[in-house]
Amino acid sequence: MAKTKEKEYTLLETWRSLAYASHQTQRESDIFWGNYFTIEKGIYEIILADPKNPVKGTVKELAEKFETELLIMVGFLDGINDSLKTPNPIETMTEDTVVNLDYDIELLYKNMVEAKAEWLYELEAWNTLIPDANRRAELYKEQKSSHTIVKDKKIGRNEPCPCGSGKKYKFCCGR
């Protein structure tokens, strides 16, 4: 009888199946994410305190450094990856993959706003990292408005054509 080879999941796939498990009740999901967000906030408080010295190490070393489970660290790396100056290979990483948390300060702030992670973008550290409150407000507004769709004013059939031909729109580009 031939053995069937089971698919080996990457750390990222394992994290995502755990985090977004369809078999969880709403209460279980709320507890899971509540715990995760508390750990995430603690990690950010540490890495935002010293932006000039980015945290580096293997995934396993970082999990140990931040006193968390390996898969929680994978989730953190998944979340911060879009804010890094050089993204980590999260799709293929193993516990021995060396990762670097050298983040772009303004991009990280905007991504936290995008994720609606108020507990993160309101951390006290931002007062030091982006000391100008007006700049933080600008970044917040830029991120919020980046998804706003602005429709152009509709051209009426009998208005002059915007192409500059001098004809009515209905007899020119409106055909």
mmCIF file of all heavy atoms in Angstrom, residues 106-145:
data_model
loop_
_atom_site.group_PDB
_atom_site.id
_atom_site.type_symbol
_atom_site.label_atom_id
_atom_site.label_comp_id
_atom_site.label_asym_id
_atom_site.label_seq_id
_atom_site.Cartn_x
_atom_site.Cartn_y
_atom_site.Cartn_z
ATOM 1 N N GLU A 106 7.411 56.365 8.745
ATOM 2 C CA GLU A 106 6.153 56.934 8.269
ATOM 3 C C GLU A 106 5.264 55.877 7.617
ATOM 4 O O GLU A 106 4.049 55.883 7.794
ATOM 5 C CB GLU A 106 6.401 58.111 7.321
ATOM 6 C CG GLU A 106 6.958 59.321 8.047
ATOM 7 C CD GLU A 106 7.010 60.579 7.195
ATOM 8 O OE1 GLU A 106 6.741 60.517 5.972
ATOM 9 O OE2 GLU A 106 7.328 61.637 7.759
ATOM 10 N N LEU A 107 5.865 54.950 6.891
ATOM 11 C CA LEU A 107 5.085 53.888 6.263
ATOM 12 C C LEU A 107 4.456 52.990 7.321
ATOM 13 O O LEU A 107 3.294 52.594 7.203
ATOM 14 C CB LEU A 107 5.970 53.070 5.317
ATOM 15 C CG LEU A 107 5.286 51.936 4.563
ATOM 16 C CD1 LEU A 107 4.121 52.450 3.717
ATOM 17 C CD2 LEU A 107 6.304 51.210 3.691
ATOM 18 N N LEU A 108 5.197 52.688 8.371
ATOM 19 C CA LEU A 108 4.658 51.866 9.453
ATOM 20 C C LEU A 108 3.462 52.560 10.104
ATOM 21 O O LEU A 108 2.427 51.938 10.340
ATOM 22 C CB LEU A 108 5.738 51.573 10.500
ATOM 23 C CG LEU A 108 5.299 50.740 11.702
ATOM 24 C CD1 LEU A 108 4.783 49.373 11.261
ATOM 25 C CD2 LEU A 108 6.451 50.586 12.685
ATOM 26 N N TYR A 109 3.587 53.846 10.359
ATOM 27 C CA TYR A 109 2.484 54.603 10.956
ATOM 28 C C TYR A 109 1.248 54.550 10.050
ATOM 29 O O TYR A 109 0.143 54.252 10.499
ATOM 30 C CB TYR A 109 2.913 56.053 11.201
ATOM 31 C CG TYR A 109 1.858 56.869 11.901
ATOM 32 C CD1 TYR A 109 1.716 56.808 13.283
ATOM 33 C CD2 TYR A 109 1.003 57.700 11.194
ATOM 34 C CE1 TYR A 109 0.746 57.548 13.937
ATOM 35 C CE2 TYR A 109 0.018 58.439 11.833
ATOM 36 C CZ TYR A 109 -0.099 58.365 13.210
ATOM 37 O OH TYR A 109 -1.062 59.092 13.851
ATOM 38 N N LYS A 110 1.460 54.804 8.765
ATOM 39 C CA LYS A 110 0.338 54.787 7.820
ATOM 40 C C LYS A 110 -0.294 53.392 7.723
ATOM 41 O O LYS A 110 -1.513 53.273 7.643
ATOM 42 C CB LYS A 110 0.795 55.267 6.436
ATOM 43 C CG LYS A 110 1.063 56.761 6.394
ATOM 44 C CD LYS A 110 1.722 57.212 5.113
ATOM 45 C CE LYS A 110 0.770 57.267 3.961
ATOM 46 N NZ LYS A 110 1.332 57.916 2.773
ATOM 47 N N ASN A 111 0.517 52.348 7.748
ATOM 48 C CA ASN A 111 -0.021 50.995 7.682
ATOM 49 C C ASN A 111 -0.811 50.636 8.942
ATOM 50 O O ASN A 111 -1.785 49.887 8.879
ATOM 51 C CB ASN A 111 1.083 49.971 7.418
ATOM 52 C CG ASN A 111 1.557 50.014 5.981
ATOM 53 O OD1 ASN A 111 0.863 50.504 5.094
ATOM 54 N ND2 ASN A 111 2.757 49.523 5.733
ATOM 55 N N MET A 112 -0.406 51.190 10.075
ATOM 56 C CA MET A 112 -1.168 50.971 11.312
ATOM 57 C C MET A 112 -2.528 51.666 11.216
ATOM 58 O O MET A 112 -3.537 51.124 11.663
ATOM 59 C CB MET A 112 -0.392 51.479 12.521
ATOM 60 C CG MET A 112 0.782 50.624 12.888
ATOM 61 S SD MET A 112 1.702 51.361 14.248
ATOM 62 C CE MET A 112 2.874 50.074 14.610
ATOM 63 N N VAL A 113 -2.531 52.849 10.613
ATOM 64 C CA VAL A 113 -3.793 53.565 10.394
ATOM 65 C C VAL A 113 -4.664 52.758 9.438
ATOM 66 O O VAL A 113 -5.860 52.570 9.671
ATOM 67 C CB VAL A 113 -3.547 54.996 9.865
ATOM 68 C CG1 VAL A 113 -4.839 55.651 9.405
ATOM 69 C CG2 VAL A 113 -2.851 55.849 10.924
ATOM 70 N N GLU A 114 -4.053 52.252 8.365
ATOM 71 C CA GLU A 114 -4.771 51.453 7.368
ATOM 72 C C GLU A 114 -5.431 50.232 8.013
ATOM 73 O O GLU A 114 -6.561 49.881 7.690
ATOM 74 C CB GLU A 114 -3.800 50.991 6.272
ATOM 75 C CG GLU A 114 -4.330 49.924 5.357
ATOM 76 C CD GLU A 114 -5.347 50.431 4.352
ATOM 77 O OE1 GLU A 114 -5.477 51.650 4.170
ATOM 78 O OE2 GLU A 114 -6.034 49.588 3.765
ATOM 79 N N ALA A 115 -4.719 49.616 8.954
ATOM 80 C CA ALA A 115 -5.227 48.419 9.626
ATOM 81 C C ALA A 115 -6.222 48.753 10.742
ATOM 82 O O ALA A 115 -6.737 47.851 11.386
ATOM 83 C CB ALA A 115 -4.066 47.612 10.192
ATOM 84 N N LYS A 116 -6.463 50.036 10.942
ATOM 85 C CA LYS A 116 -7.366 50.494 12.017
ATOM 86 C C LYS A 116 -6.878 50.003 13.377
ATOM 87 O O LYS A 116 -7.680 49.673 14.253
ATOM 88 C CB LYS A 116 -8.796 50.050 11.755
ATOM 89 C CG LYS A 116 -9.376 50.617 10.484
ATOM 90 C CD LYS A 116 -10.812 50.171 10.268
ATOM 91 C CE LYS A 116 -11.374 50.843 9.048
ATOM 92 N NZ LYS A 116 -11.481 50.004 7.884
ATOM 93 N N ALA A 117 -5.548 49.942 13.536
ATOM 94 C CA ALA A 117 -4.928 49.474 14.773
ATOM 95 C C ALA A 117 -4.655 50.663 15.696
ATOM 96 O O ALA A 117 -3.514 51.047 15.919
ATOM 97 C CB ALA A 117 -3.640 48.714 14.455
ATOM 98 N N GLU A 118 -5.715 51.214 16.234
ATOM 99 C CA GLU A 118 -5.621 52.393 17.090
ATOM 100 C C GLU A 118 -4.683 52.155 18.272
ATOM 101 O O GLU A 118 -3.944 53.057 18.679
ATOM 102 C CB GLU A 118 -7.022 52.746 17.591
ATOM 103 C CG GLU A 118 -7.124 54.077 18.284
ATOM 104 C CD GLU A 118 -8.565 54.422 18.607
ATOM 105 O OE1 GLU A 118 -9.440 54.211 17.745
ATOM 106 O OE2 GLU A 118 -8.795 54.891 19.722
ATOM 107 N N TRP A 119 -4.693 50.942 18.835
ATOM 108 C CA TRP A 119 -3.830 50.611 19.957
ATOM 109 C C TRP A 119 -2.351 50.697 19.583
ATOM 110 O O TRP A 119 -1.500 50.782 20.449
ATOM 111 C CB TRP A 119 -4.165 49.236 20.522
ATOM 112 C CG TRP A 119 -3.921 48.108 19.564
ATOM 113 C CD1 TRP A 119 -2.797 47.330 19.476
ATOM 114 C CD2 TRP A 119 -4.801 47.666 18.530
ATOM 115 N NE1 TRP A 119 -2.932 46.422 18.440
ATOM 116 C CE2 TRP A 119 -4.157 46.599 17.851
ATOM 117 C CE3 TRP A 119 -6.070 48.043 18.108
ATOM 118 C CZ2 TRP A 119 -4.733 45.934 16.773
ATOM 119 C CZ3 TRP A 119 -6.641 47.366 17.046
ATOM 120 C CH2 TRP A 119 -5.981 46.323 16.401
ATOM 121 N N LEU A 120 -2.053 50.712 18.269
ATOM 122 C CA LEU A 120 -0.663 50.813 17.821
ATOM 123 C C LEU A 120 -0.303 52.217 17.363
ATOM 124 O O LEU A 120 0.748 52.741 17.722
ATOM 125 C CB LEU A 120 -0.399 49.813 16.688
ATOM 126 C CG LEU A 120 -0.550 48.338 17.046
ATOM 127 C CD1 LEU A 120 -0.335 47.465 15.820
ATOM 128 C CD2 LEU A 120 0.392 47.955 18.168
ATOM 129 N N TYR A 121 -1.147 52.847 16.548
ATOM 130 C CA TYR A 121 -0.767 54.172 16.058
ATOM 131 C C TYR A 121 -0.952 55.261 17.111
ATOM 132 O O TYR A 121 -0.554 56.395 16.893
ATOM 133 C CB TYR A 121 -1.423 54.526 14.722
ATOM 134 C CG TYR A 121 -2.922 54.736 14.698
ATOM 135 C CD1 TYR A 121 -3.491 55.910 15.172
ATOM 136 C CD2 TYR A 121 -3.756 53.778 14.146
ATOM 137 C CE1 TYR A 121 -4.863 56.104 15.119
ATOM 138 C CE2 TYR A 121 -5.122 53.967 14.078
ATOM 139 C CZ TYR A 121 -5.670 55.139 14.578
ATOM 140 O OH TYR A 121 -7.025 55.331 14.516
ATOM 141 N N GLU A 122 -1.500 54.905 18.260
ATOM 142 C CA GLU A 122 -1.593 55.872 19.354
ATOM 143 C C GLU A 122 -0.587 55.577 20.470
ATOM 144 O O GLU A 122 -0.680 56.155 21.550
ATOM 145 C CB GLU A 122 -3.021 55.912 19.906
ATOM 146 C CG GLU A 122 -3.977 56.572 18.929
ATOM 147 C CD GLU A 122 -5.360 56.810 19.511
ATOM 148 O OE1 GLU A 122 -5.634 56.361 20.641
ATOM 149 O OE2 GLU A 122 -6.162 57.447 18.817
ATOM 150 N N LEU A 123 0.380 54.719 20.199
ATOM 151 C CA LEU A 123 1.419 54.446 21.193
ATOM 152 C C LEU A 123 2.204 55.718 21.491
ATOM 153 O O LEU A 123 2.424 56.554 20.613
ATOM 154 C CB LEU A 123 2.384 53.361 20.690
ATOM 155 C CG LEU A 123 1.865 51.928 20.685
ATOM 156 C CD1 LEU A 123 2.837 51.014 19.954
ATOM 157 C CD2 LEU A 123 1.635 51.443 22.106
ATOM 158 N N GLU A 124 2.645 55.836 22.709
ATOM 159 C CA GLU A 124 3.407 57.008 23.161
ATOM 160 C C GLU A 124 4.687 57.214 22.336
ATOM 161 O O GLU A 124 5.113 58.337 22.117
ATOM 162 C CB GLU A 124 3.754 56.826 24.647
ATOM 163 C CG GLU A 124 4.263 58.058 25.331
ATOM 164 C CD GLU A 124 3.220 59.170 25.440
ATOM 165 O OE1 GLU A 124 2.031 58.881 25.589
ATOM 166 O OE2 GLU A 124 3.635 60.345 25.368
ATOM 167 N N ALA A 125 5.282 56.133 21.843
ATOM 168 C CA ALA A 125 6.540 56.207 21.090
ATOM 169 C C ALA A 125 6.425 57.091 19.856
ATOM 170 O O ALA A 125 7.414 57.682 19.416
ATOM 171 C CB ALA A 125 6.992 54.814 20.687
ATOM 172 N N TRP A 126 5.235 57.195 19.264
ATOM 173 C CA TRP A 126 5.076 58.013 18.060
ATOM 174 C C TRP A 126 5.363 59.487 18.340
ATOM 175 O O TRP A 126 5.762 60.217 17.435
ATOM 176 C CB TRP A 126 3.687 57.834 17.450
ATOM 177 C CG TRP A 126 3.538 56.474 16.853
ATOM 178 C CD1 TRP A 126 2.745 55.467 17.302
ATOM 179 C CD2 TRP A 126 4.229 55.957 15.720
ATOM 180 N NE1 TRP A 126 2.905 54.350 16.515
ATOM 181 C CE2 TRP A 126 3.808 54.630 15.531
ATOM 182 C CE3 TRP A 126 5.174 56.481 14.842
ATOM 183 C CZ2 TRP A 126 4.286 53.820 14.506
ATOM 184 C CZ3 TRP A 126 5.648 55.675 13.822
ATOM 185 C CH2 TRP A 126 5.212 54.368 13.666
ATOM 186 N N ASN A 127 5.183 59.928 19.582
ATOM 187 C CA ASN A 127 5.484 61.320 19.931
ATOM 188 C C ASN A 127 6.972 61.616 19.789
ATOM 189 O O ASN A 127 7.357 62.763 19.559
ATOM 190 C CB ASN A 127 5.011 61.637 21.352
ATOM 191 C CG ASN A 127 3.507 61.545 21.486
ATOM 192 O OD1 ASN A 127 2.775 61.772 20.523
ATOM 193 N ND2 ASN A 127 3.043 61.192 22.664
ATOM 194 N N THR A 128 7.800 60.590 19.904
ATOM 195 C CA THR A 128 9.241 60.744 19.730
ATOM 196 C C THR A 128 9.645 60.482 18.280
ATOM 197 O O THR A 128 10.460 61.202 17.712
ATOM 198 C CB THR A 128 9.989 59.756 20.656
ATOM 199 O OG1 THR A 128 9.555 59.978 21.987
ATOM 200 C CG2 THR A 128 11.492 59.949 20.573
ATOM 201 N N LEU A 129 9.073 59.442 17.681
ATOM 202 C CA LEU A 129 9.436 59.065 16.318
ATOM 203 C C LEU A 129 8.996 60.099 15.286
ATOM 204 O O LEU A 129 9.728 60.390 14.345
ATOM 205 C CB LEU A 129 8.814 57.712 15.958
ATOM 206 C CG LEU A 129 9.365 56.524 16.741
ATOM 207 C CD1 LEU A 129 8.500 55.304 16.520
ATOM 208 C CD2 LEU A 129 10.795 56.243 16.327
ATOM 209 N N ILE A 130 7.784 60.607 15.437
ATOM 210 C CA ILE A 130 7.261 61.664 14.568
ATOM 211 C C ILE A 130 6.774 62.760 15.522
ATOM 212 O O ILE A 130 5.579 62.847 15.818
ATOM 213 C CB ILE A 130 6.117 61.159 13.664
ATOM 214 C CG1 ILE A 130 6.543 59.906 12.890
ATOM 215 C CG2 ILE A 130 5.684 62.259 12.686
ATOM 216 C CD1 ILE A 130 5.422 59.250 12.100
ATOM 217 N N PRO A 131 7.725 63.571 16.031
ATOM 218 C CA PRO A 131 7.377 64.523 17.086
ATOM 219 C C PRO A 131 6.371 65.598 16.674
ATOM 220 O O PRO A 131 5.648 66.124 17.520
ATOM 221 C CB PRO A 131 8.713 65.143 17.485
ATOM 222 C CG PRO A 131 9.695 64.733 16.462
ATOM 223 C CD PRO A 131 9.123 63.608 15.679
ATOM 224 N N ASP A 132 6.306 65.896 15.400
ATOM 225 C CA ASP A 132 5.385 66.931 14.930
ATOM 226 C C ASP A 132 3.972 66.344 14.822
ATOM 227 O O ASP A 132 3.693 65.524 13.948
ATOM 228 C CB ASP A 132 5.860 67.462 13.574
ATOM 229 C CG ASP A 132 4.992 68.574 13.019
ATOM 230 O OD1 ASP A 132 4.027 68.989 13.699
ATOM 231 O OD2 ASP A 132 5.276 69.022 11.899
ATOM 232 N N ALA A 133 3.097 66.767 15.720
ATOM 233 C CA ALA A 133 1.721 66.266 15.728
ATOM 234 C C ALA A 133 1.017 66.577 14.414
ATOM 235 O O ALA A 133 0.180 65.795 13.953
ATOM 236 C CB ALA A 133 0.947 66.862 16.904
ATOM 237 N N ASN A 134 1.366 67.700 13.788
ATOM 238 C CA ASN A 134 0.759 68.042 12.504
ATOM 239 C C ASN A 134 1.168 67.036 11.426
ATOM 240 O O ASN A 134 0.367 66.685 10.567
ATOM 241 C CB ASN A 134 1.156 69.453 12.061
ATOM 242 C CG ASN A 134 0.528 70.515 12.941
ATOM 243 O OD1 ASN A 134 -0.558 70.319 13.488
ATOM 244 N ND2 ASN A 134 1.216 71.633 13.092
ATOM 245 N N ARG A 135 2.421 66.581 11.469
ATOM 246 C CA ARG A 135 2.889 65.591 10.491
ATOM 247 C C ARG A 135 2.145 64.269 10.683
ATOM 248 O O ARG A 135 1.741 63.622 9.718
ATOM 249 C CB ARG A 135 4.406 65.381 10.601
ATOM 250 C CG ARG A 135 4.953 64.370 9.617
ATOM 251 C CD ARG A 135 4.795 64.837 8.182
ATOM 252 N NE ARG A 135 5.201 63.808 7.249
ATOM 253 C CZ ARG A 135 4.612 63.550 6.093
ATOM 254 N NH1 ARG A 135 3.593 64.269 5.686
ATOM 255 N NH2 ARG A 135 5.039 62.590 5.324
ATOM 256 N N ARG A 136 1.967 63.848 11.941
ATOM 257 C CA ARG A 136 1.213 62.624 12.210
ATOM 258 C C ARG A 136 -0.218 62.757 11.688
ATOM 259 O O ARG A 136 -0.762 61.832 11.105
ATOM 260 C CB ARG A 136 1.207 62.296 13.707
ATOM 261 C CG ARG A 136 2.498 61.678 14.207
ATOM 262 C CD ARG A 136 2.363 61.053 15.574
ATOM 263 N NE ARG A 136 1.745 61.892 16.578
ATOM 264 C CZ ARG A 136 2.380 62.798 17.317
ATOM 265 N NH1 ARG A 136 3.677 62.983 17.151
ATOM 266 N NH2 ARG A 136 1.729 63.494 18.225
ATOM 267 N N ALA A 137 -0.799 63.933 11.887
ATOM 268 C CA ALA A 137 -2.161 64.179 11.396
ATOM 269 C C ALA A 137 -2.203 64.118 9.868
ATOM 270 O O ALA A 137 -3.151 63.573 9.287
ATOM 271 C CB ALA A 137 -2.673 65.524 11.897
ATOM 272 N N GLU A 138 -1.169 64.666 9.203
ATOM 273 C CA GLU A 138 -1.086 64.608 7.736
ATOM 274 C C GLU A 138 -1.011 63.153 7.257
ATOM 275 O O GLU A 138 -1.696 62.770 6.305
ATOM 276 C CB GLU A 138 0.162 65.338 7.228
ATOM 277 C CG GLU A 138 0.095 66.837 7.241
ATOM 278 C CD GLU A 138 1.441 67.455 6.857
ATOM 279 O OE1 GLU A 138 2.253 66.790 6.165
ATOM 280 O OE2 GLU A 138 1.683 68.604 7.276
ATOM 281 N N LEU A 139 -0.149 62.358 7.901
ATOM 282 C CA LEU A 139 0.005 60.952 7.525
ATOM 283 C C LEU A 139 -1.308 60.202 7.724
ATOM 284 O O LEU A 139 -1.702 59.391 6.882
ATOM 285 C CB LEU A 139 1.116 60.288 8.344
ATOM 286 C CG LEU A 139 2.533 60.766 8.053
ATOM 287 C CD1 LEU A 139 3.504 60.224 9.090
ATOM 288 C CD2 LEU A 139 2.958 60.366 6.650
ATOM 289 N N TYR A 140 -1.983 60.494 8.817
ATOM 290 C CA TYR A 140 -3.273 59.866 9.097
ATOM 291 C C TYR A 140 -4.269 60.214 7.996
ATOM 292 O O TYR A 140 -4.921 59.338 7.437
ATOM 293 C CB TYR A 140 -3.787 60.344 10.465
ATOM 294 C CG TYR A 140 -5.091 59.716 10.874
ATOM 295 C CD1 TYR A 140 -5.096 58.542 11.623
ATOM 296 C CD2 TYR A 140 -6.309 60.271 10.514
ATOM 297 C CE1 TYR A 140 -6.291 57.936 12.002
ATOM 298 C CE2 TYR A 140 -7.507 59.676 10.882
ATOM 299 C CZ TYR A 140 -7.490 58.519 11.630
ATOM 300 O OH TYR A 140 -8.679 57.939 11.987
ATOM 301 N N LYS A 141 -4.333 61.492 7.663
ATOM 302 C CA LYS A 141 -5.282 61.955 6.643
ATOM 303 C C LYS A 141 -4.928 61.377 5.264
ATOM 304 O O LYS A 141 -5.815 60.954 4.517
ATOM 305 C CB LYS A 141 -5.281 63.477 6.591
ATOM 306 C CG LYS A 141 -6.340 64.040 5.685
ATOM 307 C CD LYS A 141 -6.372 65.553 5.737
ATOM 308 C CE LYS A 141 -7.412 66.082 4.763
ATOM 309 N NZ LYS A 141 -7.470 67.520 4.714
ATOM 310 N N GLU A 142 -3.628 61.347 4.934
ATOM 311 C CA GLU A 142 -3.191 60.774 3.651
ATOM 312 C C GLU A 142 -3.651 59.324 3.528
ATOM 313 O O GLU A 142 -4.159 58.910 2.489
ATOM 314 C CB GLU A 142 -1.653 60.783 3.545
ATOM 315 C CG GLU A 142 -1.048 62.086 3.147
ATOM 316 C CD GLU A 142 0.487 62.021 3.180
ATOM 317 O OE1 GLU A 142 1.077 60.922 3.029
ATOM 318 O OE2 GLU A 142 1.100 63.088 3.368
ATOM 319 N N GLN A 143 -3.459 58.565 4.606
ATOM 320 C CA GLN A 143 -3.827 57.151 4.559
ATOM 321 C C GLN A 143 -5.330 56.979 4.455
ATOM 322 O O GLN A 143 -5.814 56.176 3.676
ATOM 323 C CB GLN A 143 -3.294 56.409 5.788
ATOM 324 C CG GLN A 143 -3.540 54.933 5.726
ATOM 325 C CD GLN A 143 -2.944 54.291 4.486
ATOM 326 O OE1 GLN A 143 -1.813 54.558 4.123
ATOM 327 N NE2 GLN A 143 -3.704 53.459 3.810
ATOM 328 N N LYS A 144 -6.072 57.748 5.226
ATOM 329 C CA LYS A 144 -7.529 57.628 5.194
ATOM 330 C C LYS A 144 -8.099 58.035 3.839
ATOM 331 O O LYS A 144 -9.039 57.422 3.348
ATOM 332 C CB LYS A 144 -8.171 58.478 6.306
ATOM 333 C CG LYS A 144 -7.975 57.910 7.688
ATOM 334 C CD LYS A 144 -8.695 56.602 7.836
ATOM 335 C CE LYS A 144 -8.663 56.101 9.246
ATOM 336 N NZ LYS A 144 -9.368 54.850 9.421
ATOM 337 N N SER A 145 -7.516 59.057 3.223
ATOM 338 C CA SER A 145 -8.051 59.537 1.948
ATOM 339 C C SER A 145 -7.534 58.738 0.750
ATOM 340 O O SER A 145 -8.027 58.897 -0.355
ATOM 341 C CB SER A 145 -7.738 61.019 1.752
ATOM 342 O OG SER A 145 -6.352 61.221 1.613
#
